[in-house]
Amino acid sequence: MGEIEIIHSIRKFNRNYVRSIGLLEKTFLNTGYSLTESHILYIVKEEGKTTATDINKVLHLDEGYLSRIIKKLISNSILIKEKSQADKRVFKISLTEKGIKEQQKLDELSSCSIAGIISHLSQGQQEELAQSFNKIMRLLYGQ
Amino acid sequence: MGEIEIIHSIRKFNRNYVRSIGLLEKTFLNTGYSLTESHILYIVKEEGKTTATDINKVLHLDEGYLSRIIKKLISNSILIKEKSQADKRVFKISLTEKGIKEQQKLDELSSCSIAGIISHLSQGQQEELAQSFNKIMRLLYGQ
DNA sequence: AAAAATACTTGATATAAGCAAGTAATTAGT
DNA sequence: ACTAATTACTTGCTTATATCAAGTATTTTT
């Protein structure tokens, strides 16, 4: 396989996957959260208690944009922030009780939408699919 | 591998890939074309002479939005439209000379950005990567 | 011939994202 | 210890991207 074919395969995948992600975004619209917001909530769940800066080490959003999203999530009682004692520039962010529940709902929605997409595949095909995704993850992102 | 692991793998991939596509979008910003516009031009190149409706069979954009994008591309002399003789509701759309050149530039930019991403991989790893993408394409999109 | 569907357009609006300037706190340089 | 630079976060303003709803013209269905 030459470089041109390799690049062609990846570009073909990208063209198709962009649309899948577009569909995913529409699924999230009904929830009242954007994909980006749901991503932020996922990170806060994973990290437990974190900061805007740490979230942005993953997401690389515009700082002002992130600040506003967090502000909105706080005003909707999904997140709370408390001033860090160690560094008074920093706000520690975490999920409220409501936030935990909302995040779980989003988590389930995401899993269900994936389950739907792979439901027409056999068990063996589903495993092949997962292994392909895992391989790409390792090769591209070292994970 | 159980269903939970399979879904987990795909979701992990998605979280990472969303950002790759975000970066790709930023690359395109400098060109004066959005990823969506470049996608439209790609389809017009592939199809030769096509219609808004046919483009949207692939992209599923809002009709009005697509109409405006096409309008803009026409006013920038990238596309031309001519009324179909067979059906006077329809406009046949195609690339101008300038449009062909611009599309080629976008094509190269896209290929180069992929080449950059895979450049740190060995030839063998690049082939594994392409094969993984191909397998996913077949499983998810039947292509 | 009327009703329904299709192809496309346009006005108004919403959502997502980015830029730039600013405040407050911390760290680095001398 | 004091100034300069950096970091964390915020806010006002703007742009980019996308959607909704209503409308025109044409074609297809009944």
mmCIF file of all heavy atoms in Angstrom, chain B residues 62-89:
data_model
loop_
_atom_site.group_PDB
_atom_site.id
_atom_site.type_symbol
_atom_site.label_atom_id
_atom_site.label_comp_id
_atom_site.label_asym_id
_atom_site.label_seq_id
_atom_site.Cartn_x
_atom_site.Cartn_y
_atom_site.Cartn_z
ATOM 1 N N ASP B 62 -29.057 21.719 6.094
ATOM 2 C CA ASP B 62 -30.297 22.486 5.939
ATOM 3 C C ASP B 62 -30.332 23.031 4.508
ATOM 4 O O ASP B 62 -29.340 23.573 4.012
ATOM 5 C CB ASP B 62 -30.302 23.628 6.955
ATOM 6 C CG ASP B 62 -31.509 24.533 6.787
ATOM 7 O OD1 ASP B 62 -32.589 24.152 7.250
ATOM 8 O OD2 ASP B 62 -31.361 25.610 6.171
ATOM 9 N N GLU B 63 -31.475 22.885 3.872
ATOM 10 C CA GLU B 63 -31.603 23.303 2.466
ATOM 11 C C GLU B 63 -31.233 24.767 2.246
ATOM 12 O O GLU B 63 -30.547 25.118 1.286
ATOM 13 C CB GLU B 63 -33.056 23.157 2.011
ATOM 14 C CG GLU B 63 -33.461 21.797 1.542
ATOM 15 C CD GLU B 63 -34.924 21.846 1.098
ATOM 16 O OE1 GLU B 63 -35.794 22.231 1.929
ATOM 17 O OE2 GLU B 63 -35.188 21.539 -0.071
ATOM 18 N N GLY B 64 -31.750 25.609 3.148
ATOM 19 C CA GLY B 64 -31.499 27.039 3.022
ATOM 20 C C GLY B 64 -30.026 27.359 3.175
ATOM 21 O O GLY B 64 -29.475 28.203 2.453
ATOM 22 N N TYR B 65 -29.423 26.672 4.111
ATOM 23 C CA TYR B 65 -27.993 26.858 4.372
ATOM 24 C C TYR B 65 -27.183 26.469 3.143
ATOM 25 O O TYR B 65 -26.319 27.217 2.678
ATOM 26 C CB TYR B 65 -27.623 25.991 5.575
ATOM 27 C CG TYR B 65 -26.199 26.054 6.032
ATOM 28 C CD1 TYR B 65 -25.517 27.258 6.114
ATOM 29 C CD2 TYR B 65 -25.530 24.893 6.416
ATOM 30 C CE1 TYR B 65 -24.205 27.300 6.565
ATOM 31 C CE2 TYR B 65 -24.232 24.934 6.873
ATOM 32 C CZ TYR B 65 -23.576 26.133 6.948
ATOM 33 O OH TYR B 65 -22.282 26.168 7.398
ATOM 34 N N LEU B 66 -27.507 25.311 2.597
ATOM 35 C CA LEU B 66 -26.810 24.842 1.400
ATOM 36 C C LEU B 66 -26.999 25.830 0.264
ATOM 37 O O LEU B 66 -26.045 26.169 -0.454
ATOM 38 C CB LEU B 66 -27.323 23.454 1.003
ATOM 39 C CG LEU B 66 -26.736 22.881 -0.296
ATOM 40 C CD1 LEU B 66 -25.216 22.791 -0.223
ATOM 41 C CD2 LEU B 66 -27.341 21.502 -0.585
ATOM 42 N N SER B 67 -28.228 26.311 0.109
ATOM 43 C CA SER B 67 -28.531 27.266 -0.953
ATOM 44 C C SER B 67 -27.630 28.500 -0.837
ATOM 45 O O SER B 67 -27.083 28.990 -1.824
ATOM 46 C CB SER B 67 -29.998 27.663 -0.859
ATOM 47 O OG SER B 67 -30.307 28.665 -1.794
ATOM 48 N N ARG B 68 -27.477 28.981 0.385
ATOM 49 C CA ARG B 68 -26.642 30.167 0.599
ATOM 50 C C ARG B 68 -25.169 29.901 0.345
ATOM 51 O O ARG B 68 -24.456 30.746 -0.202
ATOM 52 C CB ARG B 68 -26.816 30.671 2.031
ATOM 53 C CG ARG B 68 -27.833 31.783 2.138
ATOM 54 C CD ARG B 68 -27.943 32.245 3.565
ATOM 55 N NE ARG B 68 -29.077 31.601 4.207
ATOM 56 C CZ ARG B 68 -30.243 32.197 4.414
ATOM 57 N NH1 ARG B 68 -30.421 33.437 4.072
ATOM 58 N NH2 ARG B 68 -31.233 31.544 4.967
ATOM 59 N N ILE B 69 -24.705 28.717 0.752
ATOM 60 C CA ILE B 69 -23.301 28.380 0.505
ATOM 61 C C ILE B 69 -23.044 28.362 -0.997
ATOM 62 O O ILE B 69 -22.062 28.923 -1.492
ATOM 63 C CB ILE B 69 -22.924 27.025 1.137
ATOM 64 C CG1 ILE B 69 -22.940 27.114 2.668
ATOM 65 C CG2 ILE B 69 -21.540 26.585 0.666
ATOM 66 C CD1 ILE B 69 -22.650 25.796 3.365
ATOM 67 N N ILE B 70 -23.958 27.712 -1.721
ATOM 68 C CA ILE B 70 -23.800 27.634 -3.175
ATOM 69 C C ILE B 70 -23.825 29.039 -3.780
ATOM 70 O O ILE B 70 -22.991 29.372 -4.634
ATOM 71 C CB ILE B 70 -24.908 26.742 -3.783
ATOM 72 C CG1 ILE B 70 -24.658 25.276 -3.401
ATOM 73 C CG2 ILE B 70 -24.967 26.896 -5.292
ATOM 74 C CD1 ILE B 70 -25.801 24.338 -3.740
ATOM 75 N N LYS B 71 -24.740 29.863 -3.304
ATOM 76 C CA LYS B 71 -24.835 31.254 -3.771
ATOM 77 C C LYS B 71 -23.511 31.992 -3.600
ATOM 78 O O LYS B 71 -23.027 32.683 -4.496
ATOM 79 C CB LYS B 71 -25.931 31.938 -2.962
ATOM 80 C CG LYS B 71 -26.368 33.298 -3.455
ATOM 81 C CD LYS B 71 -27.486 33.799 -2.527
ATOM 82 C CE LYS B 71 -27.907 35.216 -2.838
ATOM 83 N NZ LYS B 71 -28.890 35.692 -1.824
ATOM 84 N N LYS B 72 -22.925 31.818 -2.411
ATOM 85 C CA LYS B 72 -21.648 32.472 -2.116
ATOM 86 C C LYS B 72 -20.549 31.955 -3.042
ATOM 87 O O LYS B 72 -19.750 32.728 -3.579
ATOM 88 C CB LYS B 72 -21.271 32.214 -0.654
ATOM 89 C CG LYS B 72 -19.925 32.797 -0.246
ATOM 90 C CD LYS B 72 -19.515 32.334 1.151
ATOM 91 C CE LYS B 72 -18.008 32.208 1.267
ATOM 92 N NZ LYS B 72 -17.587 31.429 2.456
ATOM 93 N N LEU B 73 -20.513 30.631 -3.229
ATOM 94 C CA LEU B 73 -19.480 30.040 -4.079
ATOM 95 C C LEU B 73 -19.658 30.487 -5.525
ATOM 96 O O LEU B 73 -18.677 30.659 -6.249
ATOM 97 C CB LEU B 73 -19.502 28.507 -3.955
ATOM 98 C CG LEU B 73 -19.042 27.960 -2.589
ATOM 99 C CD1 LEU B 73 -19.335 26.465 -2.476
ATOM 100 C CD2 LEU B 73 -17.548 28.229 -2.353
ATOM 101 N N ILE B 74 -20.893 30.689 -5.933
ATOM 102 C CA ILE B 74 -21.147 31.212 -7.287
ATOM 103 C C ILE B 74 -20.664 32.661 -7.384
ATOM 104 O O ILE B 74 -19.978 33.034 -8.339
ATOM 105 C CB ILE B 74 -22.643 31.088 -7.647
ATOM 106 C CG1 ILE B 74 -22.997 29.623 -7.878
ATOM 107 C CG2 ILE B 74 -22.963 31.923 -8.892
ATOM 108 C CD1 ILE B 74 -24.484 29.331 -7.974
ATOM 109 N N SER B 75 -20.969 33.449 -6.355
ATOM 110 C CA SER B 75 -20.580 34.868 -6.426
ATOM 111 C C SER B 75 -19.053 35.019 -6.359
ATOM 112 O O SER B 75 -18.499 36.007 -6.818
ATOM 113 C CB SER B 75 -21.271 35.673 -5.330
ATOM 114 O OG SER B 75 -20.633 35.469 -4.101
ATOM 115 N N ASN B 76 -18.374 34.014 -5.812
ATOM 116 C CA ASN B 76 -16.903 34.025 -5.824
ATOM 117 C C ASN B 76 -16.322 33.309 -7.046
ATOM 118 O O ASN B 76 -15.124 33.007 -7.084
ATOM 119 C CB ASN B 76 -16.363 33.367 -4.551
ATOM 120 C CG ASN B 76 -16.657 34.183 -3.311
ATOM 121 O OD1 ASN B 76 -17.015 35.359 -3.391
ATOM 122 N ND2 ASN B 76 -16.538 33.568 -2.153
ATOM 123 N N SER B 77 -17.174 33.006 -8.006
ATOM 124 C CA SER B 77 -16.752 32.352 -9.262
ATOM 125 C C SER B 77 -16.097 30.991 -9.070
ATOM 126 O O SER B 77 -15.208 30.602 -9.829
ATOM 127 C CB SER B 77 -15.787 33.248 -10.044
ATOM 128 O OG SER B 77 -16.334 34.521 -10.217
ATOM 129 N N ILE B 78 -16.545 30.280 -8.052
ATOM 130 C CA ILE B 78 -16.032 28.923 -7.809
ATOM 131 C C ILE B 78 -16.971 27.911 -8.462
ATOM 132 O O ILE B 78 -16.545 26.903 -9.003
ATOM 133 C CB ILE B 78 -15.960 28.644 -6.279
ATOM 134 C CG1 ILE B 78 -15.108 29.693 -5.563
ATOM 135 C CG2 ILE B 78 -15.467 27.235 -6.007
ATOM 136 C CD1 ILE B 78 -13.700 29.779 -6.048
ATOM 137 N N LEU B 79 -18.239 28.217 -8.393
ATOM 138 C CA LEU B 79 -19.255 27.358 -9.001
ATOM 139 C C LEU B 79 -20.035 28.161 -10.037
ATOM 140 O O LEU B 79 -20.105 29.388 -9.956
ATOM 141 C CB LEU B 79 -20.236 26.847 -7.938
ATOM 142 C CG LEU B 79 -19.716 25.912 -6.854
ATOM 143 C CD1 LEU B 79 -20.820 25.571 -5.854
ATOM 144 C CD2 LEU B 79 -19.160 24.616 -7.464
ATOM 145 N N ILE B 80 -20.628 27.452 -10.994
ATOM 146 C CA ILE B 80 -21.653 28.061 -11.846
ATOM 147 C C ILE B 80 -22.903 27.198 -11.814
ATOM 148 O O ILE B 80 -22.823 25.991 -11.607
ATOM 149 C CB ILE B 80 -21.234 28.206 -13.328
ATOM 150 C CG1 ILE B 80 -20.431 26.980 -13.772
ATOM 151 C CG2 ILE B 80 -20.477 29.488 -13.571
ATOM 152 C CD1 ILE B 80 -20.207 26.930 -15.257
ATOM 153 N N LYS B 81 -24.047 27.864 -12.022
ATOM 154 C CA LYS B 81 -25.260 27.056 -12.122
ATOM 155 C C LYS B 81 -25.997 27.427 -13.402
ATOM 156 O O LYS B 81 -25.944 28.565 -13.866
ATOM 157 C CB LYS B 81 -26.149 27.239 -10.894
ATOM 158 C CG LYS B 81 -26.876 28.560 -10.769
ATOM 159 C CD LYS B 81 -27.823 28.529 -9.555
ATOM 160 C CE LYS B 81 -28.529 29.854 -9.391
ATOM 161 N NZ LYS B 81 -29.379 29.887 -8.185
ATOM 162 N N GLU B 82 -26.635 26.411 -13.948
ATOM 163 C CA GLU B 82 -27.443 26.630 -15.143
ATOM 164 C C GLU B 82 -28.757 25.879 -14.962
ATOM 165 O O GLU B 82 -28.787 24.773 -14.424
ATOM 166 C CB GLU B 82 -26.700 26.135 -16.387
ATOM 167 C CG GLU B 82 -26.041 24.787 -16.189
ATOM 168 C CD GLU B 82 -25.302 24.270 -17.432
ATOM 169 O OE1 GLU B 82 -25.818 24.458 -18.540
ATOM 170 O OE2 GLU B 82 -24.237 23.646 -17.254
ATOM 171 N N LYS B 83 -29.822 26.485 -15.408
ATOM 172 C CA LYS B 83 -31.135 25.874 -15.233
ATOM 173 C C LYS B 83 -31.203 24.589 -16.045
ATOM 174 O O LYS B 83 -30.815 24.556 -17.217
ATOM 175 C CB LYS B 83 -32.225 26.853 -15.708
ATOM 176 C CG LYS B 83 -33.520 26.727 -14.934
ATOM 177 C CD LYS B 83 -34.427 27.936 -15.165
ATOM 178 C CE LYS B 83 -35.404 28.100 -14.007
ATOM 179 N NZ LYS B 83 -35.953 29.458 -13.943
ATOM 180 N N SER B 84 -31.668 23.544 -15.384
ATOM 181 C CA SER B 84 -31.859 22.277 -16.086
ATOM 182 C C SER B 84 -32.977 22.421 -17.116
ATOM 183 O O SER B 84 -34.008 23.027 -16.840
ATOM 184 C CB SER B 84 -32.222 21.184 -15.079
ATOM 185 O OG SER B 84 -32.809 20.088 -15.732
ATOM 186 N N GLN B 85 -32.755 21.855 -18.306
ATOM 187 C CA GLN B 85 -33.788 21.904 -19.347
ATOM 188 C C GLN B 85 -34.916 20.933 -19.030
ATOM 189 O O GLN B 85 -36.096 21.244 -19.213
ATOM 190 C CB GLN B 85 -33.185 21.570 -20.710
ATOM 191 C CG GLN B 85 -32.364 22.707 -21.306
ATOM 192 C CD GLN B 85 -33.093 24.049 -21.271
ATOM 193 O OE1 GLN B 85 -32.783 24.904 -20.431
ATOM 194 N NE2 GLN B 85 -34.068 24.245 -22.171
ATOM 195 N N ALA B 86 -34.516 19.782 -18.502
ATOM 196 C CA ALA B 86 -35.483 18.715 -18.242
ATOM 197 C C ALA B 86 -36.447 19.071 -17.113
ATOM 198 O O ALA B 86 -37.622 18.711 -17.154
ATOM 199 C CB ALA B 86 -34.741 17.420 -17.904
ATOM 200 N N ASP B 87 -35.945 19.794 -16.117
ATOM 201 C CA ASP B 87 -36.776 20.142 -14.961
ATOM 202 C C ASP B 87 -36.404 21.549 -14.514
ATOM 203 O O ASP B 87 -35.335 21.775 -13.958
ATOM 204 C CB ASP B 87 -36.544 19.121 -13.842
ATOM 205 C CG ASP B 87 -37.413 19.389 -12.619
ATOM 206 O OD1 ASP B 87 -37.903 20.524 -12.463
ATOM 207 O OD2 ASP B 87 -37.600 18.455 -11.819
ATOM 208 N N LYS B 88 -37.308 22.484 -14.770
ATOM 209 C CA LYS B 88 -36.944 23.888 -14.569
ATOM 210 C C LYS B 88 -36.918 24.343 -13.111
ATOM 211 O O LYS B 88 -36.650 25.502 -12.828
ATOM 212 C CB LYS B 88 -37.877 24.782 -15.405
ATOM 213 C CG LYS B 88 -37.501 24.767 -16.878
ATOM 214 C CD LYS B 88 -38.594 25.385 -17.730
ATOM 215 C CE LYS B 88 -38.295 25.144 -19.219
ATOM 216 N NZ LYS B 88 -39.516 25.240 -20.047
ATOM 217 N N ARG B 89 -37.195 23.416 -12.196
ATOM 218 C CA ARG B 89 -36.988 23.763 -10.785
ATOM 219 C C ARG B 89 -35.520 23.624 -10.414
ATOM 220 O O ARG B 89 -35.051 24.197 -9.443
ATOM 221 C CB ARG B 89 -37.782 22.798 -9.885
ATOM 222 C CG ARG B 89 -39.266 22.965 -9.973
ATOM 223 C CD ARG B 89 -39.946 21.819 -9.274
ATOM 224 N NE ARG B 89 -39.515 20.522 -9.813
ATOM 225 C CZ ARG B 89 -39.965 19.351 -9.374
ATOM 226 N NH1 ARG B 89 -40.825 19.282 -8.393
ATOM 227 N NH2 ARG B 89 -39.524 18.231 -9.927
#
